[in-house]
Amino acid sequence: VKIALIYTTLIYLSCLVLFPSSNASESKPLGMRPQPFSMQSSRSNRFGIRRQMKPNYALNGLSRSVNAFSTRIENEEFVGKYAPVAGKTAAWVRALELFEAMKNAGISPDTRTINDVMTICLRCGRKDEVKRMYSLMQDEKVEADSRTLSIMAGIYGKSKEWENALTVMDDAVRLGIKPDLILFTNIISACAKEGQWSHALDLLARMQDLNVTPTKISYNAAIHACCKGRQMKKGEKLVQEMKGNGIQPDVVTYTSLIAGHMWQKDIKGVIGAFKDMQRDGISPNGHTYSSVLTAFTRAGLWRSALDAYATLLEQRITASTMVHNMALTSHLKLGEWVAAVTAYTRMRNQRIDQDTTSHCLALEAYFGGGQSQQALRFMHQVLENEDKDEAKQRVFETAVRSCQRHGLWQEALGLVKESVAGGFSTQYIFNTAIAACAKTRQMQHAFDLYDLMKETKIKPTAATFNGLMASTAQSQAQRGWEVALEIERDMLSQSQNLDQVTYTGLITALGRAGRWQRAEKAYLRMIENGVQPNHVTYSAMISAWGNGNKWERAIDMFSKLENTTDVNEISYSCVISAMGKCGQWEKVLELYSQCDERLHSKLSLTTYNAVLSGLARNSRLDEAVDLVAKMHDRSRQIGAAIANKVGNYSIQHAASPNAVSYGALIEAADSRGNWEMCLSFYNEMREKGIRSTIGIANRLLRALFSQRRWSQAVHVFDKLTEDSVPMDRYKYSAVISACVRSKDSYLVSVKAHNLFRDMRKNNIVPRIVEFGAIIHACAKEKNLQRALLYFEEMANDQISPNQAIFTSLIKACAHDQEWEKALELFNEMENVAPEEVDLERRVLPYNALITTLTNCRQRHRAMKVFDEMKAKNIMPDKVTYDRLAQGFEVTGEWEVILRLIDDMHKSSDHEVSASALMYQRAISACQVKGKWEQALEFYETMIEKDLKPREATYLALYDACLNAKKPEVAAQFYNVLKQSTEDDIAVKRFEPDMNQIFDDGEDEAEFDDLYDPEPIEIDEFETEGTLGM
């Protein structure tokens, strides 16, 4: 007895040292707080009982000190003192040591002793030890009491073992123990955690049968069971029963009701329960707001979720990390990237715990806001603070997924290489990066990633091949469809099953390439292999038939699809686009009306743009303008509805026209040849802050070029450059040509040369087309020396000149009287490119040389060149004869002009017949020589050939007759002149202007033949993911 007393005293003292008493308030877990022995009762029985009661008191004190120990553990000195067994671990370890010491000392543990040990282990989270002690209790045949059973019911509830919790009630019946309030409540709580509402209600009814009065905790547990079991009516009935028994619901009650409605996706029920809670004057807590935000986010009501989150912050309610993460998610879904970053920063400043999900959401916000560099720096900071490889992999996956969503394929490639170097690469990372390349039409980079994937020995999956297939479908490569077929063969060779996505990508690739027959065969293979098509597959097939101008097949498949539940807005967009490509604009409007009616006026921008594309392809400008006006009106109406929270609209329903919409309008106006409306649409788009795209730039410039609006084209080019629209070689070439074609001296002499230098600055090396245009500009501005400098620059760039270059240089010689240089260049041309072009275009350099020679008073050399032309079977044209006649007109050699006219009549080319201008030049030559009779003969010939004389012709005849002293005849021509002019004294002498070498119309025609730049490529009409894969 003395040994036992000494040992027990030592145990008691060690417990007092390890767990000093604390006055801190302790929460009282349900049914787990043992009743302490009073010191008075332990002293009353100093013998017999003291041996067993003193260890019980020590364990009981240890049990009471667990919570106090947890509150003191934050003290650094205390942690340092008990570092080997810090935290609650020390409690259960010490309890088991005491228990084993009692057994070793020969003291048999009783019910209360084991209950204390079980209580300590339960509070320390040692569920297995609690179960072991209960088994030991049964093995030692120590009788269990209601407290023991309550403990076991609680441990089964924490372990979500509701069936075992029910067996505890059977044990109570077997042992003859009357269940008390704690036992009933613990078993009901165990059933509630698994939604076993029927057992919970049975236990609640059994409590009342045994005259055990349920408390608020009991009711809350039963209500929670009903709510989790989707029995909301029974749960609400229990709430009414509580109130009838005089028990007022609390925050736990209403939180359970809100959670129940949330699980049933009943938003109205969630809002109603929350309002009832506020009406009863009960303040919500963090768990309440967690259920509310979960309900809103699951329903896609992102704005409502953020409103609830703002209320939580205003009331300074402590919430879990999951609640803050749902707020971040809501910001991301609404595209509020800056707000998401701000919310994450607030979490850090307020020291709210952030998990990996928080970091990933913030990372996505950085990428979404266009701060890719900031996102990468943030990612590396997160990786430095992460210890687990799983978390690091998740961060990499989030970063790559964000790059894929926002079209950042280059950043995605960098992340993949970094993950490979760090050993964190996964199939998901590679597949997502390949999808990013597919989305941005980077087919080659997608296949490079596939090769890297094989090098790192990561096995490709079906998603990998689907991404590669999508890259071929999105690629603009001419042979992309062949690559798609090769992918299909590779998948079959590797025993990869082709799924719905694979076949859809294959059909899309073939359809976009115009291979509708092969697409049809792929669709049939899909059906034969038992793969069920979905609405995206049908839409891809409809688009393929549209590209093949098989609109009957497309509309037939859509009719079959329309009878099923699979038809949606994507299907309508595809069939509308197909009808537009096939010229069925009436069908386009009909399908648009059906879609608008079916979706209750909730069309997205993609559908509107598909309709606009169909109208634009068929030159239906008026209908397209009306539709855009309707889009503006509906956008304003839906915007007002969203602002006033009227109706179930989202921002995507406010389909305000974008760049694609205006591109369709410009295309429709271009098809009508209405360049003024093209410019009007472009200016309207800029006023609304819509950024131009490459497609719009191409369409707009092409429209202006086709109508020969050179100055306007140059002005639009400058605006596009200001808007940072990428300019390629084709646009520079076309605009330089526009400058050369224009009659504006500034564009010819200054702007064209500035653009040529800008090409160099933008690392675009000029080619022979651009050199030809700029040298022609030098010829037009009469600057031979500048043209020769460009000619020398060509030689430095190792660009061989062609016939067009030499022609412009020869023309430039005419202005500086450099006829010898012209002959030199002509001979050089003959040696460099003797047979470069066909004979019809070989006449152009001859015309340039003849023009230069006649301008330099070398008319006989010009006739010699003319004879050489004919000897080489190079047929002269009208320009050739006119330039020769112009040279002999000044000297009055009318016989030569007459010979040229006869030669023109003998020509087999009907387009080379003598014109009124040739006869006018012959009459002018006769006037110079005083041959008035011959002049009259030429005039009579003109009348016979129905050639209308010009005013200059009558003036030359008047002067010829007047100089020959034939006033009567001269008076006739004077009267004609008098009738043809408003002022009868405005009679001017005709003097040929030798400086006006080029007639504007003829010069522009020659330029078209010589320097026609490569056409600007117009991409296929831009749609926004009609077939998003």
Side-chain angles (χ1 to χ4, degrees), residues 261-276:
H261 290 298
M262 177 265 293
W263 286 321
Q264 287 190 321
K265 299 180 181 181
D266 182 9
I267 297 299
K268 293 182 179 180
V270 170
I271 297 174
F274 190 78
K275 290 181 178 179
D276 292 342

PDB file of all heavy atoms in Angstrom, residues 261-276:
ATOM      1  N   HIS A 261     -30.123  23.508 -49.072  1.00  0.00           N
ATOM      2  CA  HIS A 261     -30.555  24.106 -50.337  1.00  0.00           C
ATOM      3  C   HIS A 261     -29.390  24.204 -51.322  1.00  0.00           C
ATOM      4  O   HIS A 261     -29.579  24.055 -52.536  1.00  0.00           O
ATOM      5  CB  HIS A 261     -31.149  25.491 -50.075  1.00  0.00           C
ATOM      6  CG  HIS A 261     -32.471  25.468 -49.364  1.00  0.00           C
ATOM      7  ND1 HIS A 261     -33.593  24.879 -49.907  1.00  0.00           N
ATOM      8  CD2 HIS A 261     -32.845  25.954 -48.146  1.00  0.00           C
ATOM      9  CE1 HIS A 261     -34.617  25.013 -49.062  1.00  0.00           C
ATOM     10  NE2 HIS A 261     -34.188  25.654 -47.980  1.00  0.00           N
ATOM     11  N   MET A 262     -28.210  24.454 -50.807  1.00  0.00           N
ATOM     12  CA  MET A 262     -27.030  24.530 -51.675  1.00  0.00           C
ATOM     13  C   MET A 262     -26.754  23.184 -52.328  1.00  0.00           C
ATOM     14  O   MET A 262     -26.478  23.111 -53.528  1.00  0.00           O
ATOM     15  CB  MET A 262     -25.820  24.992 -50.858  1.00  0.00           C
ATOM     16  CG  MET A 262     -24.502  25.049 -51.628  1.00  0.00           C
ATOM     17  SD  MET A 262     -23.513  23.530 -51.439  1.00  0.00           S
ATOM     18  CE  MET A 262     -23.091  23.603 -49.710  1.00  0.00           C
ATOM     19  N   TRP A 263     -26.872  22.107 -51.542  1.00  0.00           N
ATOM     20  CA  TRP A 263     -26.635  20.777 -52.106  1.00  0.00           C
ATOM     21  C   TRP A 263     -27.681  20.420 -53.163  1.00  0.00           C
ATOM     22  O   TRP A 263     -27.389  19.675 -54.095  1.00  0.00           O
ATOM     23  CB  TRP A 263     -26.645  19.731 -50.985  1.00  0.00           C
ATOM     24  CG  TRP A 263     -25.403  19.780 -50.131  1.00  0.00           C
ATOM     25  CD1 TRP A 263     -24.126  19.988 -50.551  1.00  0.00           C
ATOM     26  CD2 TRP A 263     -25.341  19.622 -48.705  1.00  0.00           C
ATOM     27  NE1 TRP A 263     -23.267  19.979 -49.484  1.00  0.00           N
ATOM     28  CE2 TRP A 263     -23.977  19.744 -48.326  1.00  0.00           C
ATOM     29  CE3 TRP A 263     -26.290  19.388 -47.716  1.00  0.00           C
ATOM     30  CZ2 TRP A 263     -23.544  19.636 -47.016  1.00  0.00           C
ATOM     31  CZ3 TRP A 263     -25.860  19.284 -46.404  1.00  0.00           C
ATOM     32  CH2 TRP A 263     -24.502  19.411 -46.051  1.00  0.00           C
ATOM     33  N   GLN A 264     -28.877  20.944 -53.018  1.00  0.00           N
ATOM     34  CA  GLN A 264     -29.922  20.693 -54.005  1.00  0.00           C
ATOM     35  C   GLN A 264     -29.905  21.704 -55.150  1.00  0.00           C
ATOM     36  O   GLN A 264     -30.786  21.675 -56.009  1.00  0.00           O
ATOM     37  CB  GLN A 264     -31.296  20.724 -53.326  1.00  0.00           C
ATOM     38  CG  GLN A 264     -31.585  19.501 -52.465  1.00  0.00           C
ATOM     39  CD  GLN A 264     -33.021  19.447 -52.004  1.00  0.00           C
ATOM     40  OE1 GLN A 264     -33.606  20.462 -51.664  1.00  0.00           O
ATOM     41  NE2 GLN A 264     -33.583  18.257 -52.006  1.00  0.00           N
ATOM     42  N   LYS A 265     -28.927  22.621 -55.144  1.00  0.00           N
ATOM     43  CA  LYS A 265     -28.805  23.661 -56.165  1.00  0.00           C
ATOM     44  C   LYS A 265     -30.062  24.514 -56.255  1.00  0.00           C
ATOM     45  O   LYS A 265     -30.503  24.923 -57.321  1.00  0.00           O
ATOM     46  CB  LYS A 265     -28.494  23.044 -57.540  1.00  0.00           C
ATOM     47  CG  LYS A 265     -27.190  22.259 -57.576  1.00  0.00           C
ATOM     48  CD  LYS A 265     -26.929  21.664 -58.946  1.00  0.00           C
ATOM     49  CE  LYS A 265     -25.626  20.865 -58.940  1.00  0.00           C
ATOM     50  NZ  LYS A 265     -25.339  20.282 -60.278  1.00  0.00           N
ATOM     51  N   ASP A 266     -30.634  24.769 -55.081  1.00  0.00           N
ATOM     52  CA  ASP A 266     -31.849  25.576 -54.977  1.00  0.00           C
ATOM     53  C   ASP A 266     -31.449  26.980 -54.512  1.00  0.00           C
ATOM     54  O   ASP A 266     -31.351  27.256 -53.313  1.00  0.00           O
ATOM     55  CB  ASP A 266     -32.826  24.926 -53.994  1.00  0.00           C
ATOM     56  CG  ASP A 266     -34.135  25.702 -53.870  1.00  0.00           C
ATOM     57  OD1 ASP A 266     -34.352  26.640 -54.678  1.00  0.00           O
ATOM     58  OD2 ASP A 266     -34.926  25.379 -52.960  1.00  0.00           O
ATOM     59  N   ILE A 267     -31.193  27.868 -55.477  1.00  0.00           N
ATOM     60  CA  ILE A 267     -30.726  29.207 -55.139  1.00  0.00           C
ATOM     61  C   ILE A 267     -31.802  29.980 -54.386  1.00  0.00           C
ATOM     62  O   ILE A 267     -31.521  30.693 -53.410  1.00  0.00           O
ATOM     63  CB  ILE A 267     -30.306  29.961 -56.411  1.00  0.00           C
ATOM     64  CG1 ILE A 267     -29.126  29.253 -57.077  1.00  0.00           C
ATOM     65  CG2 ILE A 267     -29.929  31.396 -56.098  1.00  0.00           C
ATOM     66  CD1 ILE A 267     -27.900  29.185 -56.213  1.00  0.00           C
ATOM     67  N   LYS A 268     -33.053  29.843 -54.825  1.00  0.00           N
ATOM     68  CA  LYS A 268     -34.128  30.546 -54.137  1.00  0.00           C
ATOM     69  C   LYS A 268     -34.237  30.082 -52.680  1.00  0.00           C
ATOM     70  O   LYS A 268     -34.502  30.892 -51.771  1.00  0.00           O
ATOM     71  CB  LYS A 268     -35.446  30.317 -54.863  1.00  0.00           C
ATOM     72  CG  LYS A 268     -35.500  30.961 -56.246  1.00  0.00           C
ATOM     73  CD  LYS A 268     -36.861  30.741 -56.893  1.00  0.00           C
ATOM     74  CE  LYS A 268     -36.922  31.411 -58.265  1.00  0.00           C
ATOM     75  NZ  LYS A 268     -38.237  31.201 -58.922  1.00  0.00           N
ATOM     76  N   GLY A 269     -34.058  28.774 -52.461  1.00  0.00           N
ATOM     77  CA  GLY A 269     -34.099  28.271 -51.087  1.00  0.00           C
ATOM     78  C   GLY A 269     -32.970  28.820 -50.240  1.00  0.00           C
ATOM     79  O   GLY A 269     -33.155  29.143 -49.059  1.00  0.00           O
ATOM     80  N   VAL A 270     -31.763  28.939 -50.845  1.00  0.00           N
ATOM     81  CA  VAL A 270     -30.619  29.500 -50.116  1.00  0.00           C
ATOM     82  C   VAL A 270     -30.908  30.941 -49.713  1.00  0.00           C
ATOM     83  O   VAL A 270     -30.712  31.344 -48.550  1.00  0.00           O
ATOM     84  CB  VAL A 270     -29.344  29.429 -50.991  1.00  0.00           C
ATOM     85  CG1 VAL A 270     -28.211  30.217 -50.353  1.00  0.00           C
ATOM     86  CG2 VAL A 270     -28.932  27.982 -51.195  1.00  0.00           C
ATOM     87  N   ILE A 271     -31.382  31.724 -50.662  1.00  0.00           N
ATOM     88  CA  ILE A 271     -31.661  33.133 -50.379  1.00  0.00           C
ATOM     89  C   ILE A 271     -32.784  33.262 -49.353  1.00  0.00           C
ATOM     90  O   ILE A 271     -32.735  34.092 -48.434  1.00  0.00           O
ATOM     91  CB  ILE A 271     -32.015  33.875 -51.678  1.00  0.00           C
ATOM     92  CG1 ILE A 271     -30.811  33.851 -52.640  1.00  0.00           C
ATOM     93  CG2 ILE A 271     -32.442  35.299 -51.396  1.00  0.00           C
ATOM     94  CD1 ILE A 271     -31.103  34.425 -54.009  1.00  0.00           C
ATOM     95  N   GLY A 272     -33.822  32.394 -49.474  1.00  0.00           N
ATOM     96  CA  GLY A 272     -34.931  32.451 -48.528  1.00  0.00           C
ATOM     97  C   GLY A 272     -34.495  32.106 -47.108  1.00  0.00           C
ATOM     98  O   GLY A 272     -34.887  32.788 -46.144  1.00  0.00           O
ATOM     99  N   ALA A 273     -33.683  31.041 -46.962  1.00  0.00           N
ATOM    100  CA  ALA A 273     -33.201  30.659 -45.628  1.00  0.00           C
ATOM    101  C   ALA A 273     -32.311  31.742 -45.033  1.00  0.00           C
ATOM    102  O   ALA A 273     -32.358  32.017 -43.822  1.00  0.00           O
ATOM    103  CB  ALA A 273     -32.452  29.330 -45.712  1.00  0.00           C
ATOM    104  N   PHE A 274     -31.514  32.377 -45.879  1.00  0.00           N
ATOM    105  CA  PHE A 274     -30.627  33.446 -45.385  1.00  0.00           C
ATOM    106  C   PHE A 274     -31.450  34.649 -44.899  1.00  0.00           C
ATOM    107  O   PHE A 274     -31.137  35.263 -43.876  1.00  0.00           O
ATOM    108  CB  PHE A 274     -29.670  33.863 -46.496  1.00  0.00           C
ATOM    109  CG  PHE A 274     -28.562  34.768 -46.036  1.00  0.00           C
ATOM    110  CD1 PHE A 274     -27.465  34.258 -45.362  1.00  0.00           C
ATOM    111  CD2 PHE A 274     -28.613  36.129 -46.271  1.00  0.00           C
ATOM    112  CE1 PHE A 274     -26.448  35.084 -44.924  1.00  0.00           C
ATOM    113  CE2 PHE A 274     -27.605  36.969 -45.845  1.00  0.00           C
ATOM    114  CZ  PHE A 274     -26.513  36.449 -45.170  1.00  0.00           C
ATOM    115  N   LYS A 275     -32.515  34.976 -45.631  1.00  0.00           N
ATOM    116  CA  LYS A 275     -33.377  36.086 -45.204  1.00  0.00           C
ATOM    117  C   LYS A 275     -34.115  35.733 -43.911  1.00  0.00           C
ATOM    118  O   LYS A 275     -34.284  36.603 -43.031  1.00  0.00           O
ATOM    119  CB  LYS A 275     -34.361  36.425 -46.305  1.00  0.00           C
ATOM    120  CG  LYS A 275     -33.712  37.080 -47.532  1.00  0.00           C
ATOM    121  CD  LYS A 275     -34.761  37.427 -48.585  1.00  0.00           C
ATOM    122  CE  LYS A 275     -34.106  38.130 -49.769  1.00  0.00           C
ATOM    123  NZ  LYS A 275     -35.101  38.458 -50.831  1.00  0.00           N
ATOM    124  N   ASP A 276     -34.580  34.473 -43.783  1.00  0.00           N
ATOM    125  CA  ASP A 276     -35.225  34.058 -42.534  1.00  0.00           C
ATOM    126  C   ASP A 276     -34.264  34.181 -41.357  1.00  0.00           C
ATOM    127  O   ASP A 276     -34.660  34.567 -40.250  1.00  0.00           O
ATOM    128  CB  ASP A 276     -35.724  32.614 -42.652  1.00  0.00           C
ATOM    129  CG  ASP A 276     -36.874  32.483 -43.648  1.00  0.00           C
ATOM    130  OD1 ASP A 276     -37.503  33.519 -43.975  1.00  0.00           O
ATOM    131  OD2 ASP A 276     -37.116  31.350 -44.123  1.00  0.00           O
TER     132      ASP A 276
END
